[in-house]
Amino acid sequence: METIIGTVFGIILLVGFSGFKIDREYERGVIFRLGRFSNVRGPGMYWILPLIDQKAQVDIRTKTVDIAPQEAVTADSVTIKVNAVLYYRIIDPFRAINKVENYEIAVYQAAMTTLRNVVGQNILDDVLQNRDKINLRVQEIVDEITESWGVVIERVEIKDVEIPTNMQRAMAKEAEAVREKRARLIKASAEQEASIKLAEASQKIVENPAALELRRLQMLTEIGAENNTTTLIMMPSDFITLAKQWTEVLNQGNKVGSNGVVQVKSTDEPIPLDLSSIPEDNP
């Protein structure tokens, strides 16, 4: 008899100890008593009624979900593949257990469909350049869906956007054309500024012809600094002035007749030339 009593007492003691539960800091226990919700317990150690209470454990840490690449058609009819990362956390263990069968699958499916829909509402350039706007929009929509499940969406980030090969080549050509256009505009602007400076310099040289000789000497210095073996023969600028005056005199001496034939004016008088510009020391 004593053995039976001892056995029964041991069983009762064992069952009583089985009611002690321990949850970590990031865990919560949803307690159901005879199938009905009782309360949320944890963290730490607590005791429930054995065989009467049942516990569903919930992890309230932030979870990361990798959304597989989704094929979507943008607003400008370009087929792309987009994958993203979703961060969510349970804020109400009671609703996460009782309002949805499997909150993990539900959150994943909601994020996947929302990502395709939001990408389809934007053109390709916005998907590539304004990812922050798309991330925020997806987060707002998914968070609105999961709010009734006791789940909050902390962040959504687009990881990668896969573009068709032919579209990549077209975008590369477009970028190259834009850069070439920019380079040509910069070069044209530089030539315009250089022409203005050259015009100003020519006016200064006309006012002071000695400046031209100084420029010529400077050019010789620049050529010599490069150790160039090219031999240069400098011709004084006065010869250019003399050739110009000679051309003007010849044009005045010739006349074009009414029949289009050039008539050379015959005269025995010498043609006046201005030789004062030739330096006396030149042979």
Side-chain angles (χ1 to χ4, degrees):
M1 187 67 180
E2 293 179 356
T3 304
I4 297 176
I5 296 175
T7 303
V8 172
F9 181 76
I11 294 174
I12 295 175
L13 187 63
L14 182 62
V15 172
F17 275 110
S18 66
F20 287 100
K21 303 295 180 181
I22 298 176
D23 287 336
R24 297 181 178 89
E25 184 67 30
Y26 55 84
E27 293 175 340
R28 298 293 184 272
V30 181
I31 309 301
F32 295 92
R33 180 164 297 172
L34 296 177
R36 297 181 63 86
F37 171 73
S38 175
N39 54 16
V40 178
R41 306 290 295 274
M45 186 176 66
Y46 53 89
W47 185 80
I48 61 176
L49 295 176
L51 305 178
I52 296 177
D53 292 344
Q54 294 178 338
K55 186 189 81 167
Q57 188 168 299
V58 179
D59 191 335
I60 62 173
R61 291 178 296 181
T62 299
K63 295 180 176 60
T64 303
V65 177
D66 189 5
I67 302 176
Q70 302 298 312
E71 188 171 295
V73 180
T74 60
D76 50 352
S77 302
V78 178
T79 302
I80 61 176
K81 288 185 178 181
V82 183
N83 63 335
V85 179
L86 176 70
Y87 301 89
Y88 72 93
R89 180 170 54 87
I90 296 176
I91 58 176
D92 191 344
F94 165 73
R95 288 188 291 173
I97 295 297
N98 293 279
K99 297 298 181 179
V100 62
E101 180 181 0
N102 190 324
Y103 63 87
E104 294 181 351
I105 297 178
V107 170
Y108 178 81
Q109 294 295 330
M112 182 174 59
T113 55
T114 303
L115 179 63
R116 285 201 302 263
N117 294 335
V118 173
V119 170
Q121 297 172 2
N122 293 269
I123 62 176
L124 180 60
D125 291 340
D126 289 341
V127 176
L128 296 176
Q129 300 175 6
N130 300 325
R131 293 189 182 184
D132 293 340
K133 182 180 69 175
I134 297 178
N135 294 338
L136 182 60
R137 182 58 181 164
V138 174
Q139 178 182 350
E140 292 175 351
I141 295 176
V142 179
D143 188 60
E144 183 179 355
I145 296 173
T146 60
E147 183 180 3
S148 60
W149 304 338
V151 177
V152 59
I153 306 300
E154 295 183 342
R155 194 174 184 85
V156 177
E157 289 288 343
I158 294 179
K159 291 175 59 178
D160 188 22
V161 178
E162 297 181 10
I163 306 174
T165 306
N166 56 351
M167 181 59 64
Q168 292 180 9
R169 289 195 296 264
M171 294 175 64
K173 291 180 180 179
E174 181 182 0
E176 184 179 357
V178 170
R179 288 185 175 88
E180 185 176 357
K181 173 185 175 182
R182 189 182 307 166
R184 290 187 177 182
L185 290 176
I186 294 174
K187 183 178 179 180
S189 177
E191 291 180 353
Q192 181 181 8
E193 294 180 3
S195 63
I196 296 175
K197 296 298 182 182
L198 289 174
E200 295 176 356
S202 63
Q203 294 178 358
K204 295 294 184 180
I205 291 175
V206 170
E207 295 175 359
N208 189 3
L212 181 60
E213 294 297 331
L214 294 176
R215 184 67 185 93
R216 288 156 63 90
L217 294 175
Q218 184 180 2
M219 182 178 64
L220 286 176
T221 305
E222 295 174 355
I223 295 175
E226 297 177 358
N227 297 325
N228 202 328
T229 58
T230 304
T231 303
L232 297 177
I233 300 176
M234 299 297 296
M235 180 180 295
S237 59
D238 296 332
F239 284 103
I240 301 176
T241 305
L242 179 61
K244 181 178 179 182
Q245 293 178 357
W246 180 265
T247 304
E248 292 177 355
V249 171
L250 291 180
N251 290 335
Q252 292 176 1
N254 298 334
K255 294 187 299 182
V256 179
S258 60
N259 56 358
V261 179
V262 178
Q263 298 178 359
V264 179
K265 182 179 179 181
S266 178
T267 177
D268 296 334
E269 297 179 0
I271 299 175
L273 294 175
D274 185 8
L275 303 177
S276 60
S277 59
I278 301 178
E280 296 180 357
D281 54 349
N282 288 340

